[in-house]
Amino acid sequence: MRVCVCVCVCVHACVRVCLQLFLVSLAFVYFAKAFCGAYLKSSITQIERRFDIPSSLIGVIDGSFEMGNLLVIAFVSYFGAKLHRPRLIGIGCLIMAIGSFLIAMPHFFQGPYKYETSMSHNTQVNSTETILPCLANHSMADADGTPNVEDRKACEEAAGSSMWVYVFLGNVLRGIGETPIMPLGVSYLDDFSKQENTPFYLACIHTVGILGPMVGFMMGSYLAKIYVDIGFVNLESITITYKDSRWVGAWWLGFIVSGTVILLSSIPFFFLPKSLPKQGEEDSNHTNTELATVTEQEHFLPDEAHGDEKEKLVTFQEMVKDFIPSIKRLFKNSIYSMMILTNLVSVNSFIGMITFKPKFMEQTFGQSASKAIFLIGKCNMGCSCSLKHWDPVCAYNGMTYASPCLAGCQTSSGTGRTMVFHNCTCISDSVMKATNMSAVLGQCPRKGECDSKFKIYMALSVVGSFMSACGGTPGYIVLLRSIQPDLKSLALGMQTLIVRTLGGIPPPIYFGALIDLTCLKWGTKQCGGRGACRIYDANAFRITFLGLITGLYFLTNILGGILYVIIVKRQKKLSLRNQENENGLEGNEVSNGHASINIAKNSEDTSKESTI
């Protein structure tokens, strides 16, 4: 007897430890994947500048994560539920780590970053006036011509302009590796935890996961101020600052850090069992609850004849044969289908916003309030300035000029970032005349009112994020309780498949294409051709960006209202049906001369929605 008690105590302790370990491990994985994903979003601008590519192509690179997810999500969700789920999650984490390391690889294959400039900055000269910006650009007009095909191809190969493909492939691997985490992790937790504990566990996981984006964006902000080639070049020779639109931060370093974090998060899953006793039922003989019945689902689902609930050994052929019928059963559920549609529209807005929000904040709150001067005037006519080059200078009248040559500057002094240009004839001829005809490197800063507006914008963003996050856990619970237990992993996987395919891939592409239309000045690649955008029309950018987000969120609220009506109607139908069942049982038990009442169910209707 004493031995039996000891065994029971050991079983209780083992189950409790394993479930707690899985909960902690899954929360850490949510943190790690959110950390890496948020860092990628914060590095979008840096990657765009490093490879001189437009926002539309950046959208394709960002959407490659969902492309990788799309390749395997349906199979992983369906077949993975019948395999060793913790190990599959661990393998997925390893693939994500490899993808993160692959994204950082181009930095080590490419040469030093050469930013676009209209003139050579000699770091050997001191403060003597030696560089003549206007006169030095007599040959720049020739650079406006298009190089021949052979020279351009050779230049592109030397510059490594196609290295962005590594970022694309690495992000695809991240998407493949992330696939099993959500559907298999949530279903495993829901299968082996108490029904009343599942919402609390999901809330804990998402709370820890929210820390990931915070850390990711903080690290992205920090590394964006560190020059991309730190440790490989003399920083004193760099003439631009992190506020310049040509600046590229140490984007690659963050992917090495995030890849290491994801790699560490994979370790615990290889030591967890395939299944556990249901929490609170450790003493029961039914120790395997892979397909445990969930009582709370009766509020949403019809009573189905599950038959023998015992786990059966299913062959691969049988699993394949049952795949299509399972899909049909899943999408006959109107609540599930409506939740997919609502999430789809919501994710379109969220992905588009989170992808280009750093660029939006930079262009709206960080750049000069006045448009840069690009045109040639009566003041720089003799300088033969190139309109393709971007080397902005800020005049003392608060106006930004695209280059020292276009400002009509005659001489310069100083070196590196401290270089000052003098005798700038266009400054004296401008509308906002200045007594000081000098200019310094970089774009003019914004006025003080932008700081206060930025704080208001961030405060509203925090409030909006909090309100959106409030529906996260209830949405998961509604989703889990509206489907049959044996379809749980498949339902979560199909949700991820559809939402990420139609809600993750298109938004960065069409958001980026529309944002490109607001560009005022395109950069020029080393080998010729259009590079990344240097400055946008702030007003057009703001209207385009916020207009898309507002419209999509408005549609989300409409669909959410329809979903609420469907759930309420389903509840009323089930309540009436349950009341009829109770009345029927009472009629069978009471014999008062009337005919007995029997309520029978048609087995053919078991796969349909509840009806009165």
Side-chain angles (χ1 to χ4, degrees), residues 133-134 379-380 383 393-397 401 403-412 420-430 433-440:
C134 178
C379 61
N380 55 22
C383 297
V393 292
C394 178
Y396 280 89
N397 60 0
Y401 293 83
S403 69
C405 181
L406 287 174
C409 301
Q410 304 297 320
T411 59
S412 66
V420 179
F421 301 92
H422 307 285
N423 300 326
C424 303
T425 55
C426 293
I427 296 177
S428 61
D429 290 346
S430 62
K433 293 185 178 181
T435 56
N436 191 337
M437 296 170 58
S438 300
V440 295

PDB file of all heavy atoms in Angstrom, residues 133-134 379-380 383 393-397 401 403-412 420-430 433-440:
ATOM      1  N   PRO A 133      33.263  72.058 -54.019  1.00  0.00           N
ATOM      2  CA  PRO A 133      32.078  71.271 -54.374  1.00  0.00           C
ATOM      3  C   PRO A 133      31.519  71.599 -55.750  1.00  0.00           C
ATOM      4  O   PRO A 133      31.201  70.711 -56.519  1.00  0.00           O
ATOM      5  CB  PRO A 133      31.068  71.627 -53.275  1.00  0.00           C
ATOM      6  CG  PRO A 133      31.900  72.106 -52.136  1.00  0.00           C
ATOM      7  CD  PRO A 133      33.080  72.783 -52.742  1.00  0.00           C
ATOM      8  N   CYS A 134      31.393  72.885 -56.039  1.00  0.00           N
ATOM      9  CA  CYS A 134      30.798  73.267 -57.318  1.00  0.00           C
ATOM     10  C   CYS A 134      31.720  72.894 -58.475  1.00  0.00           C
ATOM     11  O   CYS A 134      31.316  72.253 -59.425  1.00  0.00           O
ATOM     12  CB  CYS A 134      30.511  74.770 -57.319  1.00  0.00           C
ATOM     13  SG  CYS A 134      29.835  75.385 -58.878  1.00  0.00           S
ATOM     14  N   CYS A 379      21.636  80.372 -59.822  1.00  0.00           N
ATOM     15  CA  CYS A 379      22.690  80.359 -58.767  1.00  0.00           C
ATOM     16  C   CYS A 379      23.699  79.222 -58.933  1.00  0.00           C
ATOM     17  O   CYS A 379      24.825  79.297 -58.434  1.00  0.00           O
ATOM     18  CB  CYS A 379      22.054  80.269 -57.375  1.00  0.00           C
ATOM     19  SG  CYS A 379      21.074  78.768 -57.118  1.00  0.00           S
ATOM     20  N   ASN A 380      23.419  77.935 -59.492  1.00  0.00           N
ATOM     21  CA  ASN A 380      24.361  76.832 -59.668  1.00  0.00           C
ATOM     22  C   ASN A 380      24.473  76.402 -61.121  1.00  0.00           C
ATOM     23  O   ASN A 380      24.882  75.262 -61.409  1.00  0.00           O
ATOM     24  CB  ASN A 380      23.946  75.640 -58.805  1.00  0.00           C
ATOM     25  CG  ASN A 380      22.504  75.209 -59.072  1.00  0.00           C
ATOM     26  OD1 ASN A 380      21.955  75.496 -60.141  1.00  0.00           O
ATOM     27  ND2 ASN A 380      21.901  74.511 -58.121  1.00  0.00           N
ATOM     28  N   CYS A 383      27.808  74.964 -62.403  1.00  0.00           N
ATOM     29  CA  CYS A 383      28.419  73.857 -61.662  1.00  0.00           C
ATOM     30  C   CYS A 383      28.235  72.501 -62.322  1.00  0.00           C
ATOM     31  O   CYS A 383      28.888  71.533 -61.937  1.00  0.00           O
ATOM     32  CB  CYS A 383      27.843  73.801 -60.247  1.00  0.00           C
ATOM     33  SG  CYS A 383      28.197  75.265 -59.245  1.00  0.00           S
ATOM     34  N   VAL A 393      22.724  68.585 -47.755  1.00  0.00           N
ATOM     35  CA  VAL A 393      23.333  69.529 -46.822  1.00  0.00           C
ATOM     36  C   VAL A 393      22.233  70.435 -46.281  1.00  0.00           C
ATOM     37  O   VAL A 393      21.236  70.706 -46.951  1.00  0.00           O
ATOM     38  CB  VAL A 393      24.433  70.382 -47.492  1.00  0.00           C
ATOM     39  CG1 VAL A 393      25.626  69.538 -47.868  1.00  0.00           C
ATOM     40  CG2 VAL A 393      23.878  71.114 -48.724  1.00  0.00           C
ATOM     41  N   CYS A 394      22.420  70.886 -45.066  1.00  0.00           N
ATOM     42  CA  CYS A 394      21.447  71.759 -44.408  1.00  0.00           C
ATOM     43  C   CYS A 394      22.013  73.172 -44.352  1.00  0.00           C
ATOM     44  O   CYS A 394      23.090  73.395 -43.784  1.00  0.00           O
ATOM     45  CB  CYS A 394      21.148  71.242 -42.999  1.00  0.00           C
ATOM     46  SG  CYS A 394      20.009  72.284 -42.060  1.00  0.00           S
ATOM     47  N   ALA A 395      21.277  74.086 -44.968  1.00  0.00           N
ATOM     48  CA  ALA A 395      21.696  75.481 -44.957  1.00  0.00           C
ATOM     49  C   ALA A 395      21.236  76.147 -43.666  1.00  0.00           C
ATOM     50  O   ALA A 395      20.341  75.656 -42.971  1.00  0.00           O
ATOM     51  CB  ALA A 395      21.128  76.209 -46.173  1.00  0.00           C
ATOM     52  N   TYR A 396      21.826  77.282 -43.356  1.00  0.00           N
ATOM     53  CA  TYR A 396      21.488  77.984 -42.122  1.00  0.00           C
ATOM     54  C   TYR A 396      20.126  78.655 -42.181  1.00  0.00           C
ATOM     55  O   TYR A 396      19.643  79.168 -41.178  1.00  0.00           O
ATOM     56  CB  TYR A 396      22.579  79.009 -41.794  1.00  0.00           C
ATOM     57  CG  TYR A 396      23.791  78.383 -41.150  1.00  0.00           C
ATOM     58  CD1 TYR A 396      24.839  77.898 -41.927  1.00  0.00           C
ATOM     59  CD2 TYR A 396      23.873  78.243 -39.774  1.00  0.00           C
ATOM     60  CE1 TYR A 396      25.952  77.301 -41.341  1.00  0.00           C
ATOM     61  CE2 TYR A 396      24.973  77.651 -39.177  1.00  0.00           C
ATOM     62  CZ  TYR A 396      26.013  77.177 -39.965  1.00  0.00           C
ATOM     63  OH  TYR A 396      27.093  76.581 -39.364  1.00  0.00           O
ATOM     64  N   ASN A 397      19.482  78.643 -43.372  1.00  0.00           N
ATOM     65  CA  ASN A 397      18.117  79.164 -43.465  1.00  0.00           C
ATOM     66  C   ASN A 397      17.078  78.067 -43.223  1.00  0.00           C
ATOM     67  O   ASN A 397      15.887  78.292 -43.399  1.00  0.00           O
ATOM     68  CB  ASN A 397      17.891  79.818 -44.838  1.00  0.00           C
ATOM     69  CG  ASN A 397      18.097  78.836 -45.980  1.00  0.00           C
ATOM     70  OD1 ASN A 397      18.415  77.664 -45.780  1.00  0.00           O
ATOM     71  ND2 ASN A 397      17.920  79.328 -47.198  1.00  0.00           N
ATOM     72  N   TYR A 401      19.257  70.959 -49.113  1.00  0.00           N
ATOM     73  CA  TYR A 401      19.635  70.860 -50.521  1.00  0.00           C
ATOM     74  C   TYR A 401      20.156  69.454 -50.791  1.00  0.00           C
ATOM     75  O   TYR A 401      20.806  68.849 -49.943  1.00  0.00           O
ATOM     76  CB  TYR A 401      20.700  71.899 -50.872  1.00  0.00           C
ATOM     77  CG  TYR A 401      20.184  73.322 -50.800  1.00  0.00           C
ATOM     78  CD1 TYR A 401      20.132  73.985 -49.574  1.00  0.00           C
ATOM     79  CD2 TYR A 401      19.738  73.984 -51.933  1.00  0.00           C
ATOM     80  CE1 TYR A 401      19.649  75.289 -49.490  1.00  0.00           C
ATOM     81  CE2 TYR A 401      19.250  75.289 -51.852  1.00  0.00           C
ATOM     82  CZ  TYR A 401      19.215  75.936 -50.628  1.00  0.00           C
ATOM     83  OH  TYR A 401      18.729  77.215 -50.546  1.00  0.00           O
ATOM     84  N   SER A 403      22.475  68.312 -52.590  1.00  0.00           N
ATOM     85  CA  SER A 403      23.931  68.150 -52.608  1.00  0.00           C
ATOM     86  C   SER A 403      24.583  69.508 -52.433  1.00  0.00           C
ATOM     87  O   SER A 403      23.939  70.550 -52.659  1.00  0.00           O
ATOM     88  CB  SER A 403      24.391  67.511 -53.929  1.00  0.00           C
ATOM     89  OG  SER A 403      24.201  68.403 -55.008  1.00  0.00           O
ATOM     90  N   PRO A 404      25.862  69.551 -52.041  1.00  0.00           N
ATOM     91  CA  PRO A 404      26.555  70.842 -51.946  1.00  0.00           C
ATOM     92  C   PRO A 404      26.612  71.564 -53.284  1.00  0.00           C
ATOM     93  O   PRO A 404      26.568  72.793 -53.331  1.00  0.00           O
ATOM     94  CB  PRO A 404      27.954  70.452 -51.456  1.00  0.00           C
ATOM     95  CG  PRO A 404      27.788  69.120 -50.816  1.00  0.00           C
ATOM     96  CD  PRO A 404      26.708  68.442 -51.573  1.00  0.00           C
ATOM     97  N   CYS A 405      26.654  70.772 -54.360  1.00  0.00           N
ATOM     98  CA  CYS A 405      26.713  71.389 -55.681  1.00  0.00           C
ATOM     99  C   CYS A 405      25.418  72.131 -55.996  1.00  0.00           C
ATOM    100  O   CYS A 405      25.433  73.263 -56.490  1.00  0.00           O
ATOM    101  CB  CYS A 405      26.979  70.325 -56.735  1.00  0.00           C
ATOM    102  SG  CYS A 405      27.104  70.949 -58.424  1.00  0.00           S
ATOM    103  N   LEU A 406      24.271  71.501 -55.707  1.00  0.00           N
ATOM    104  CA  LEU A 406      22.992  72.153 -55.968  1.00  0.00           C
ATOM    105  C   LEU A 406      22.771  73.359 -55.066  1.00  0.00           C
ATOM    106  O   LEU A 406      21.959  74.236 -55.382  1.00  0.00           O
ATOM    107  CB  LEU A 406      21.852  71.150 -55.784  1.00  0.00           C
ATOM    108  CG  LEU A 406      21.715  70.080 -56.877  1.00  0.00           C
ATOM    109  CD1 LEU A 406      20.646  69.072 -56.508  1.00  0.00           C
ATOM    110  CD2 LEU A 406      21.404  70.716 -58.223  1.00  0.00           C
ATOM    111  N   ALA A 407      23.446  73.394 -53.935  1.00  0.00           N
ATOM    112  CA  ALA A 407      23.387  74.577 -53.072  1.00  0.00           C
ATOM    113  C   ALA A 407      24.299  75.685 -53.568  1.00  0.00           C
ATOM    114  O   ALA A 407      24.282  76.796 -53.021  1.00  0.00           O
ATOM    115  CB  ALA A 407      23.749  74.193 -51.639  1.00  0.00           C
ATOM    116  N   GLY A 408      25.099  75.380 -54.594  1.00  0.00           N
ATOM    117  CA  GLY A 408      25.997  76.376 -55.155  1.00  0.00           C
ATOM    118  C   GLY A 408      27.204  76.663 -54.288  1.00  0.00           C
ATOM    119  O   GLY A 408      27.809  77.743 -54.395  1.00  0.00           O
ATOM    120  N   CYS A 409      27.587  75.728 -53.429  1.00  0.00           N
ATOM    121  CA  CYS A 409      28.714  75.948 -52.518  1.00  0.00           C
ATOM    122  C   CYS A 409      30.030  75.949 -53.299  1.00  0.00           C
ATOM    123  O   CYS A 409      30.271  75.088 -54.142  1.00  0.00           O
ATOM    124  CB  CYS A 409      28.737  74.873 -51.439  1.00  0.00           C
ATOM    125  SG  CYS A 409      27.226  74.826 -50.439  1.00  0.00           S
ATOM    126  N   GLN A 410      30.902  76.897 -52.963  1.00  0.00           N
ATOM    127  CA  GLN A 410      32.148  77.075 -53.692  1.00  0.00           C
ATOM    128  C   GLN A 410      33.338  76.408 -52.999  1.00  0.00           C
ATOM    129  O   GLN A 410      34.220  75.874 -53.661  1.00  0.00           O
ATOM    130  CB  GLN A 410      32.434  78.577 -53.863  1.00  0.00           C
ATOM    131  CG  GLN A 410      31.308  79.340 -54.544  1.00  0.00           C
ATOM    132  CD  GLN A 410      31.060  78.865 -55.962  1.00  0.00           C
ATOM    133  OE1 GLN A 410      31.989  78.582 -56.717  1.00  0.00           O
ATOM    134  NE2 GLN A 410      29.780  78.761 -56.337  1.00  0.00           N
ATOM    135  N   THR A 411      33.363  76.439 -51.688  1.00  0.00           N
ATOM    136  CA  THR A 411      34.501  75.885 -50.950  1.00  0.00           C
ATOM    137  C   THR A 411      34.009  75.097 -49.757  1.00  0.00           C
ATOM    138  O   THR A 411      32.824  75.130 -49.399  1.00  0.00           O
ATOM    139  CB  THR A 411      35.440  77.007 -50.454  1.00  0.00           C
ATOM    140  OG1 THR A 411      34.686  77.883 -49.612  1.00  0.00           O
ATOM    141  CG2 THR A 411      36.033  77.788 -51.618  1.00  0.00           C
ATOM    142  N   SER A 412      34.928  74.371 -49.126  1.00  0.00           N
ATOM    143  CA  SER A 412      34.578  73.597 -47.932  1.00  0.00           C
ATOM    144  C   SER A 412      35.757  73.600 -46.977  1.00  0.00           C
ATOM    145  O   SER A 412      36.899  73.851 -47.356  1.00  0.00           O
ATOM    146  CB  SER A 412      34.210  72.157 -48.314  1.00  0.00           C
ATOM    147  OG  SER A 412      35.339  71.477 -48.822  1.00  0.00           O
ATOM    148  N   VAL A 420      32.145  71.656 -43.373  1.00  0.00           N
ATOM    149  CA  VAL A 420      31.257  72.797 -43.563  1.00  0.00           C
ATOM    150  C   VAL A 420      31.518  73.379 -44.950  1.00  0.00           C
ATOM    151  O   VAL A 420      32.670  73.492 -45.382  1.00  0.00           O
ATOM    152  CB  VAL A 420      31.486  73.879 -42.479  1.00  0.00           C
ATOM    153  CG1 VAL A 420      30.562  75.064 -42.711  1.00  0.00           C
ATOM    154  CG2 VAL A 420      31.267  73.287 -41.096  1.00  0.00           C
ATOM    155  N   PHE A 421      30.444  73.749 -45.651  1.00  0.00           N
ATOM    156  CA  PHE A 421      30.549  74.313 -47.001  1.00  0.00           C
ATOM    157  C   PHE A 421      30.248  75.811 -46.937  1.00  0.00           C
ATOM    158  O   PHE A 421      29.334  76.246 -46.229  1.00  0.00           O
ATOM    159  CB  PHE A 421      29.563  73.607 -47.943  1.00  0.00           C
ATOM    160  CG  PHE A 421      29.807  72.124 -48.038  1.00  0.00           C
ATOM    161  CD1 PHE A 421      29.149  71.234 -47.182  1.00  0.00           C
ATOM    162  CD2 PHE A 421      30.706  71.610 -48.959  1.00  0.00           C
ATOM    163  CE1 PHE A 421      29.360  69.886 -47.266  1.00  0.00           C
ATOM    164  CE2 PHE A 421      30.930  70.246 -49.038  1.00  0.00           C
ATOM    165  CZ  PHE A 421      30.264  69.371 -48.184  1.00  0.00           C
ATOM    166  N   HIS A 422      31.040  76.569 -47.705  1.00  0.00           N
ATOM    167  CA  HIS A 422      30.960  78.029 -47.636  1.00  0.00           C
ATOM    168  C   HIS A 422      30.620  78.619 -49.001  1.00  0.00           C
ATOM    169  O   HIS A 422      30.728  77.947 -50.031  1.00  0.00           O
ATOM    170  CB  HIS A 422      32.293  78.602 -47.147  1.00  0.00           C
ATOM    171  CG  HIS A 422      32.778  77.985 -45.865  1.00  0.00           C
ATOM    172  ND1 HIS A 422      32.219  78.294 -44.651  1.00  0.00           N
ATOM    173  CD2 HIS A 422      33.762  77.081 -45.617  1.00  0.00           C
ATOM    174  CE1 HIS A 422      32.845  77.609 -43.697  1.00  0.00           C
ATOM    175  NE2 HIS A 422      33.787  76.861 -44.257  1.00  0.00           N
ATOM    176  N   ASN A 423      30.225  79.905 -48.960  1.00  0.00           N
ATOM    177  CA  ASN A 423      29.927  80.674 -50.178  1.00  0.00           C
ATOM    178  C   ASN A 423      28.911  79.956 -51.068  1.00  0.00           C
ATOM    179  O   ASN A 423      29.092  79.799 -52.274  1.00  0.00           O
ATOM    180  CB  ASN A 423      31.212  80.957 -50.971  1.00  0.00           C
ATOM    181  CG  ASN A 423      32.212  81.755 -50.163  1.00  0.00           C
ATOM    182  OD1 ASN A 423      31.835  82.609 -49.355  1.00  0.00           O
ATOM    183  ND2 ASN A 423      33.491  81.469 -50.368  1.00  0.00           N
ATOM    184  N   CYS A 424      27.823  79.479 -50.458  1.00  0.00           N
ATOM    185  CA  CYS A 424      26.780  78.753 -51.186  1.00  0.00           C
ATOM    186  C   CYS A 424      25.828  79.778 -51.806  1.00  0.00           C
ATOM    187  O   CYS A 424      24.988  80.373 -51.100  1.00  0.00           O
ATOM    188  CB  CYS A 424      26.038  77.806 -50.259  1.00  0.00           C
ATOM    189  SG  CYS A 424      27.130  76.596 -49.436  1.00  0.00           S
ATOM    190  N   THR A 425      25.952  79.998 -53.101  1.00  0.00           N
ATOM    191  CA  THR A 425      25.224  81.077 -53.769  1.00  0.00           C
ATOM    192  C   THR A 425      23.721  80.857 -53.777  1.00  0.00           C
ATOM    193  O   THR A 425      22.938  81.822 -53.764  1.00  0.00           O
ATOM    194  CB  THR A 425      25.719  81.213 -55.218  1.00  0.00           C
ATOM    195  OG1 THR A 425      25.590  79.935 -55.877  1.00  0.00           O
ATOM    196  CG2 THR A 425      27.190  81.630 -55.248  1.00  0.00           C
ATOM    197  N   CYS A 426      23.251  79.604 -53.815  1.00  0.00           N
ATOM    198  CA  CYS A 426      21.803  79.344 -53.865  1.00  0.00           C
ATOM    199  C   CYS A 426      21.119  79.692 -52.549  1.00  0.00           C
ATOM    200  O   CYS A 426      19.912  79.950 -52.518  1.00  0.00           O
ATOM    201  CB  CYS A 426      21.535  77.884 -54.210  1.00  0.00           C
ATOM    202  SG  CYS A 426      22.027  77.440 -55.895  1.00  0.00           S
ATOM    203  N   ILE A 427      21.869  79.679 -51.466  1.00  0.00           N
ATOM    204  CA  ILE A 427      21.271  80.012 -50.171  1.00  0.00           C
ATOM    205  C   ILE A 427      20.875  81.473 -50.128  1.00  0.00           C
ATOM    206  O   ILE A 427      19.813  81.850 -49.639  1.00  0.00           O
ATOM    207  CB  ILE A 427      22.252  79.674 -49.031  1.00  0.00           C
ATOM    208  CG1 ILE A 427      22.513  78.174 -48.999  1.00  0.00           C
ATOM    209  CG2 ILE A 427      21.708  80.161 -47.696  1.00  0.00           C
ATOM    210  CD1 ILE A 427      23.520  77.747 -47.957  1.00  0.00           C
ATOM    211  N   SER A 428      21.712  82.329 -50.709  1.00  0.00           N
ATOM    212  CA  SER A 428      21.412  83.763 -50.706  1.00  0.00           C
ATOM    213  C   SER A 428      20.297  84.106 -51.683  1.00  0.00           C
ATOM    214  O   SER A 428      19.588  85.095 -51.515  1.00  0.00           O
ATOM    215  CB  SER A 428      22.669  84.569 -51.063  1.00  0.00           C
ATOM    216  OG  SER A 428      23.126  84.213 -52.368  1.00  0.00           O
ATOM    217  N   ASP A 429      20.101  83.259 -52.725  1.00  0.00           N
ATOM    218  CA  ASP A 429      19.057  83.531 -53.715  1.00  0.00           C
ATOM    219  C   ASP A 429      17.722  82.892 -53.368  1.00  0.00           C
ATOM    220  O   ASP A 429      16.741  83.080 -54.074  1.00  0.00           O
ATOM    221  CB  ASP A 429      19.497  82.995 -55.098  1.00  0.00           C
ATOM    222  CG  ASP A 429      20.631  83.826 -55.677  1.00  0.00           C
ATOM    223  OD1 ASP A 429      20.863  84.916 -55.144  1.00  0.00           O
ATOM    224  OD2 ASP A 429      21.269  83.367 -56.644  1.00  0.00           O
ATOM    225  N   SER A 430      17.692  82.089 -52.288  1.00  0.00           N
ATOM    226  CA  SER A 430      16.458  81.394 -51.945  1.00  0.00           C
ATOM    227  C   SER A 430      15.446  82.358 -51.332  1.00  0.00           C
ATOM    228  O   SER A 430      15.766  83.484 -50.970  1.00  0.00           O
ATOM    229  CB  SER A 430      16.744  80.256 -50.955  1.00  0.00           C
ATOM    230  OG  SER A 430      17.269  80.783 -49.756  1.00  0.00           O
ATOM    231  N   LYS A 433      16.053  83.881 -47.306  1.00  0.00           N
ATOM    232  CA  LYS A 433      17.431  84.326 -47.400  1.00  0.00           C
ATOM    233  C   LYS A 433      18.114  84.276 -46.036  1.00  0.00           C
ATOM    234  O   LYS A 433      17.500  84.500 -45.009  1.00  0.00           O
ATOM    235  CB  LYS A 433      17.495  85.749 -47.956  1.00  0.00           C
ATOM    236  CG  LYS A 433      17.044  85.842 -49.412  1.00  0.00           C
ATOM    237  CD  LYS A 433      17.232  87.240 -49.953  1.00  0.00           C
ATOM    238  CE  LYS A 433      16.818  87.305 -51.422  1.00  0.00           C
ATOM    239  NZ  LYS A 433      17.006  88.652 -52.002  1.00  0.00           N
ATOM    240  N   ALA A 434      19.411  83.947 -46.092  1.00  0.00           N
ATOM    241  CA  ALA A 434      20.190  83.862 -44.859  1.00  0.00           C
ATOM    242  C   ALA A 434      21.443  84.694 -45.014  1.00  0.00           C
ATOM    243  O   ALA A 434      22.049  84.745 -46.079  1.00  0.00           O
ATOM    244  CB  ALA A 434      20.555  82.407 -44.558  1.00  0.00           C
ATOM    245  N   THR A 435      21.793  85.361 -43.941  1.00  0.00           N
ATOM    246  CA  THR A 435      23.033  86.150 -43.973  1.00  0.00           C
ATOM    247  C   THR A 435      24.246  85.236 -43.998  1.00  0.00           C
ATOM    248  O   THR A 435      25.275  85.578 -44.556  1.00  0.00           O
ATOM    249  CB  THR A 435      23.092  87.063 -42.735  1.00  0.00           C
ATOM    250  OG1 THR A 435      22.969  86.260 -41.549  1.00  0.00           O
ATOM    251  CG2 THR A 435      21.941  88.072 -42.765  1.00  0.00           C
ATOM    252  N   ASN A 436      24.116  84.074 -43.391  1.00  0.00           N
ATOM    253  CA  ASN A 436      25.192  83.085 -43.390  1.00  0.00           C
ATOM    254  C   ASN A 436      25.005  82.168 -44.587  1.00  0.00           C
ATOM    255  O   ASN A 436      24.019  81.447 -44.692  1.00  0.00           O
ATOM    256  CB  ASN A 436      25.166  82.284 -42.082  1.00  0.00           C
ATOM    257  CG  ASN A 436      26.405  81.428 -41.916  1.00  0.00           C
ATOM    258  OD1 ASN A 436      27.080  81.075 -42.881  1.00  0.00           O
ATOM    259  ND2 ASN A 436      26.712  81.098 -40.675  1.00  0.00           N
ATOM    260  N   MET A 437      25.934  82.174 -45.523  1.00  0.00           N
ATOM    261  CA  MET A 437      25.817  81.395 -46.748  1.00  0.00           C
ATOM    262  C   MET A 437      26.553  80.064 -46.635  1.00  0.00           C
ATOM    263  O   MET A 437      27.106  79.564 -47.605  1.00  0.00           O
ATOM    264  CB  MET A 437      26.366  82.198 -47.925  1.00  0.00           C
ATOM    265  CG  MET A 437      25.574  83.477 -48.212  1.00  0.00           C
ATOM    266  SD  MET A 437      26.371  84.576 -49.403  1.00  0.00           S
ATOM    267  CE  MET A 437      26.506  83.495 -50.810  1.00  0.00           C
ATOM    268  N   SER A 438      26.535  79.473 -45.453  1.00  0.00           N
ATOM    269  CA  SER A 438      27.213  78.191 -45.216  1.00  0.00           C
ATOM    270  C   SER A 438      26.190  77.076 -45.069  1.00  0.00           C
ATOM    271  O   SER A 438      24.997  77.313 -44.847  1.00  0.00           O
ATOM    272  CB  SER A 438      28.076  78.278 -43.952  1.00  0.00           C
ATOM    273  OG  SER A 438      29.045  79.281 -44.085  1.00  0.00           O
ATOM    274  N   ALA A 439      26.654  75.848 -45.190  1.00  0.00           N
ATOM    275  CA  ALA A 439      25.806  74.670 -45.040  1.00  0.00           C
ATOM    276  C   ALA A 439      26.626  73.549 -44.418  1.00  0.00           C
ATOM    277  O   ALA A 439      27.854  73.493 -44.573  1.00  0.00           O
ATOM    278  CB  ALA A 439      25.239  74.229 -46.391  1.00  0.00           C
ATOM    279  N   VAL A 440      25.946  72.652 -43.729  1.00  0.00           N
ATOM    280  CA  VAL A 440      26.605  71.506 -43.091  1.00  0.00           C
ATOM    281  C   VAL A 440      26.023  70.216 -43.653  1.00  0.00           C
ATOM    282  O   VAL A 440      24.925  70.191 -44.234  1.00  0.00           O
ATOM    283  CB  VAL A 440      26.417  71.545 -41.554  1.00  0.00           C
ATOM    284  CG1 VAL A 440      27.108  72.741 -40.951  1.00  0.00           C
ATOM    285  CG2 VAL A 440      24.934  71.544 -41.190  1.00  0.00           C
TER     286      VAL A 440
END
